[in-house]
Amino acid sequence: MPLSEFQLIQHYFQAHAAGRDDVVLGIGDDAALVTPHPDCELVLAIDTLVAGVHFPLDTDAADIGYKLLAVNLSDLAAMGAEPSWMTLALTLPESDPQWLEKFSQGLFELADQYGVAIIGGDTTRGPLTLSLQAHGQLPGGSALQRSGARPGDSVFVTGVLGGAAIALAALQGEFELSPDEMDHCRARLDRPTPRLAVGQALRGIATAAIDISDGLMADLGHIAGQSGVGAEIVADQLPLDVIESASLSAERHRQLALTVGDDYELCFTAPDSAIEKIRAIAFSSDCSITEIGKITASESVRVVDWQGKPIELQLDGYQHFPEQK
Amino acid sequence: MPLSEFQLIQHYFQAHAAGRDDVVLGIGDDAALVTPHPDCELVLAIDTLVAGVHFPLDTDAADIGYKLLAVNLSDLAAMGAEPSWMTLALTLPESDPQWLEKFSQGLFELADQYGVAIIGGDTTRGPLTLSLQAHGQLPGGSALQRSGARPGDSVFVTGVLGGAAIALAALQGEFELSPDEMDHCRARLDRPTPRLAVGQALRGIATAAIDISDGLMADLGHIAGQSGVGAEIVADQLPLDVIESASLSAERHRQLALTVGDDYELCFTAPDSAIEKIRAIAFSSDCSITEIGKITASESVRVVDWQGKPIELQLDGYQHFPEQK
């Protein structure tokens, strides 16, 4: 990019570089310098959003900025980490000041909320591709991993599921939503809430955790696979987003919630002895937490009805967001 | 990307994740976990390469992998840091196992040389765009920054300049090179050597440092700007790559060396009292270091002849690498 790259960075990003005393040197040198907390482990997550693949091409730039950070903070939440700093690799077709202004507005709306400082990045010209790395910290040995689930543990999810998937399906013309419902679901898709407070509170309590980005079945499958266990989810216990569209059947609703990600809620496991603590976490973090099933000694993840009978799920029905015109 | 994303990552990258005992958790969870050295600052650099912008579209995938890491290690070298870990955000048009195999080969050829462990990343589908973040460490307070140059300091560069720029100009048809010279210059362009040993040895000695990615004039300009000083470069002292093409004039050669980057040599400043130490660093790191001029109290960077008379440079002649067919 021409010289204006530096001016743009200066204008839109550098102003947000200050504010943390563990940042020795932010944007503007060959690399950034930070001072990690000496008793902590460093937690690193990097995620890319590609225009037309991860968000519709007409998505508001402020929502893109917000979501780019949110999906990375969601990864930190799933580890139980506290976020500290971010770096940003922006590939842009052109230097569009209006786009950058809105993008940075959305990005810093979320960053400022959690005290995340931008410390570095790179701006290049090319097809719209946005990578962000989030850096967090947590006390050594306290990270929530995917591999700790044990048979008999209960399976929990935060919040409600399905809203983001319903927005995607409606955008693709599968059914109609009322304007209010579309706004609600679109907000779930565009501005997911990283469950940082819950994740941090679960350190020492949850045996495994993951954020739901690929759909509950796939993500719980990752926990099961890495823990060497299985899981049984009770369909009726799933906390579904309340949608009243006449053209969305209850079955399809559940299928979307189970197989499409983008809600960025947490799925975690914990022994029964932790139930009271988990209720307290839900209360103090103002985020519902629902028990949806059990970890089993089998090696499969299945959904059952209230009588324990397996429900067949069509798992191959989902296509990643196709390119928009 | 479909499920094969996981298989590809497993196959090509995860095998290189081990080998450092400061990696608590590498690829395969929501985020990576590392243990920074308690007495060190953390040094973070992220750079993106876009196909057709930063490298010709026909570039060998192994060279792309090599260069992607090299340009980031070069940033760490310019800070005086020792590299530790890397994360990788790959956006690929398709899952091409052959391309990934060669790419990872080139990447790990360099990574293994410096003990850099891959700890995480993200693979998405889209136009070929590659971001890598390199993480290094150095003792607190010892980083080489751009802002420390003082009037009277000497200006130095490592290695020789111009080879990468000459390759670019020849690829764009400006002049012909013999096959041997093209190979030599293309290697300078595709596989730059990050000057890590020199950078680390310069801690406590150099007053300012930067790596030459935008061209010596622009990069020395960054040092001058951030240090609030100027600089005077003696044209005849520039260490130029030896090229014997009849169609490349000496003047154009020097202009390319001064105004086009991609050599990834270091430019640094130091007081005269450090000369003996700098000679020793050049000797022990087996890398030539040349004094090319002086920091001045003015606010401009200029090139002069051996009599001190200013030489006009056409600085606007350079275009970033244009898209190839």
Side-chain angles (χ1 to χ4, degrees):
Chain A
M1 276 202 185
L3 260 185
S4 64
E5 174 190 343
F6 297 106
Q7 295 156 359
L8 288 170
I9 290 173
Q10 189 98 23
H11 187 76
Y12 293 113
F13 299 114
Q14 207 153 12
H16 290 264
R20 289 187 65 100
D21 55 14
D22 54 8
V23 178
V24 181
L25 189 66
I27 293 173
D29 212 298
D30 290 285
L33 287 177
V34 294
T35 314
H37 193 285
D39 302 325
C40 280
E41 284 170 7
L42 197 68
V43 189
L44 311 171
I46 186 166
D47 259 322
T48 300
L49 300 184
V50 181
V53 177
H54 298 92
F55 53 84
L57 287 185
D58 64 357
T59 303
D60 189 287
D63 290 336
I64 298 172
Y66 192 101
K67 184 165 183 172
L68 180 62
L69 179 57
V71 301
N72 280 288
L73 293 186
S74 180
D75 280 325
L76 297 192
M79 306 297 288
E82 291 168 47
S84 307
W85 321 289
M86 61 177 167
T87 53
L88 186 59
L90 283 183
T91 301
L92 305 170
E94 55 185 345
S95 298
D96 177 345
Q98 271 191 310
W99 190 94
L100 276 167
E101 184 172 355
K102 293 189 86 177
F103 172 82
S104 60
Q105 215 170 59
L107 181 72
F108 291 115
E109 185 180 328
L110 186 59
D112 293 348
Q113 196 178 326
Y114 292 105
V116 182
I118 185 164
I119 53 169
D122 189 25
T123 314
T124 50
R125 184 161 297 183
L128 187 60
T129 309
L130 314 155
S131 292
L132 188 144
Q133 179 154 319
H135 309 75
Q137 300 179 82
L138 46 69
S142 72
L144 308 176
Q145 301 186 20
R146 295 179 180 177
S147 53
R150 297 289 166 260
D153 282 355
S154 294
V155 179
F156 300 85
V157 292
T158 60
V160 291
L161 303 178
I166 288 167
L168 279 174
L171 283 171
Q172 290 170 41
E174 188 184 319
F175 43 75
E176 294 259 323
L177 294 178
S178 71
D180 279 359
E181 286 187 331
M182 189 64 198
D183 284 351
H184 167 77
C185 291
R186 192 67 201 255
R188 295 283 300 163
L189 177 66
D190 291 336
R191 297 202 166 211
T193 302
R195 299 298 184 188
L196 285 157
V198 175
Q200 291 157 26
L202 286 173
R203 294 194 304 238
I205 294 172
T207 49
I210 194 168
D211 71 326
I212 305 174
S213 56
D214 296 336
L216 177 63
M217 292 302 285
D219 290 316
L220 182 53
H222 292 314
I223 285 184
Q226 293 191 31
S227 300
V229 297
E232 209 166 83
I233 299 306
V234 183
D236 291 340
Q237 288 177 224
L238 287 172
L240 297 182
D241 226 330
V242 178
I243 302 294
E244 311 208 325
S245 168
S247 47
L248 172 63
S249 73
E251 195 190 331
R252 177 67 178 145
H253 190 159
R254 193 174 62 208
Q255 189 197 30
L256 286 170
L258 285 167
T259 62
V260 183
D262 279 313
D263 282 318
Y264 293 94
E265 295 294 344
L266 295 184
C267 173
F268 65 93
T269 60
D272 282 346
S273 56
I275 288 285
E276 285 310 315
K277 285 180 185 163
I278 290 168
R279 282 196 190 125
I281 291 169
F283 184 79
S284 65
S285 59
D286 196 21
C287 171
S288 67
I289 296 178
T290 309
E291 186 179 340
I292 59 169
K294 288 282 179 190
I295 292 296
T296 64
S298 81
E299 290 205 344
S300 65
V301 177
R302 58 183 204 161
V303 182
V304 298
D305 66 15
W306 63 276
Q307 293 177 303
K309 271 195 281 193
I311 295 176
E312 282 299 311
L313 270 184
Q314 212 182 327
L315 286 175
D316 55 359
Y318 175 63
Q319 293 228 322
H320 211 247
F321 200 78
E323 205 149 332
Q324 298 284 296
K325 271 184 235 117
Chain B
M1 272 199 188
L3 257 187
S4 63
E5 173 190 343
F6 298 105
Q7 295 156 359
L8 287 169
I9 289 174
Q10 189 97 23
H11 187 75
Y12 292 113
F13 299 114
Q14 206 153 11
H16 289 264
R20 289 186 65 101
D21 55 14
D22 53 10
V23 178
V24 181
L25 190 65
I27 294 173
D29 212 298
D30 290 285
L33 286 177
V34 295
T35 315
H37 193 286
D39 302 326
C40 281
E41 284 169 7
L42 197 69
V43 188
L44 312 170
I46 186 165
D47 259 322
T48 301
L49 300 183
V50 180
V53 178
H54 298 92
F55 53 84
L57 287 183
D58 64 356
T59 303
D60 189 287
D63 291 336
I64 297 172
Y66 193 101
K67 184 166 182 172
L68 181 62
L69 179 56
V71 300
N72 280 288
L73 292 186
S74 180
D75 280 325
L76 296 192
M79 305 297 288
E82 291 168 46
S84 307
W85 322 290
M86 61 178 167
T87 53
L88 186 59
L90 283 183
T91 301
L92 305 170
E94 53 185 347
S95 298
D96 176 346
Q98 271 192 308
W99 190 94
L100 275 169
E101 184 173 355
K102 294 188 85 177
F103 172 82
S104 61
Q105 217 170 58
L107 180 73
F108 291 114
E109 186 182 327
L110 186 60
D112 292 347
Q113 195 177 326
Y114 292 105
V116 182
I118 187 165
I119 53 169
D122 188 26
T123 314
T124 50
R125 185 161 296 184
L128 186 59
T129 309
L130 315 155
S131 292
L132 188 143
Q133 178 154 319
H135 310 74
Q137 300 178 81
L138 45 68
S142 72
L144 308 175
Q145 301 187 19
R146 295 179 179 175
S147 53
R150 296 290 166 258
D153 282 356
S154 293
V155 180
F156 301 86
V157 293
T158 60
V160 290
L161 302 178
I166 289 167
L168 279 174
L171 284 170
Q172 289 172 40
E174 187 184 320
F175 43 74
E176 294 259 321
L177 294 178
S178 71
D180 279 0
E181 286 187 330
M182 189 64 197
D183 284 351
H184 166 78
C185 290
R186 190 70 199 254
R188 295 283 299 164
L189 176 66
D190 291 336
R191 297 203 167 212
T193 302
R195 299 298 185 187
L196 285 158
V198 176
Q200 289 158 27
L202 286 173
R203 295 195 302 239
I205 295 174
T207 48
I210 194 169
D211 71 324
I212 306 175
S213 58
D214 295 336
L216 177 62
M217 293 301 287
D219 289 316
L220 181 53
H222 291 314
I223 286 184
Q226 291 191 32
S227 300
V229 297
E232 208 167 83
I233 300 305
V234 183
D236 291 341
Q237 286 175 226
L238 286 172
L240 297 182
D241 227 330
V242 177
I243 301 295
E244 311 207 324
S245 168
S247 49
L248 172 61
S249 71
E251 195 190 331
R252 177 67 176 142
H253 189 159
R254 193 175 60 207
Q255 190 198 29
L256 285 169
L258 286 168
T259 61
V260 184
D262 279 313
D263 283 317
Y264 293 94
E265 296 293 347
L266 296 184
C267 172
F268 65 93
T269 60
D272 281 346
S273 56
I275 288 287
E276 283 312 314
K277 285 180 185 160
I278 290 169
R279 284 197 188 122
I281 290 169
F283 184 79
S284 65
S285 59
D286 197 21
C287 171
S288 67
I289 296 178
T290 309
E291 186 181 339
I292 58 167
K294 287 283 180 190
I295 292 296
T296 64
S298 80
E299 290 205 344
S300 65
V301 177
R302 58 183 205 162
V303 182
V304 298
D305 66 16
W306 61 277
Q307 294 177 301
K309 270 194 283 193
I311 294 176
E312 282 299 312
L313 270 182
Q314 214 182 325
L315 286 175
D316 55 359
Y318 175 64
Q319 292 227 323
H320 212 243
F321 200 79
E323 205 149 332
Q324 299 282 296
K325 267 183 237 116

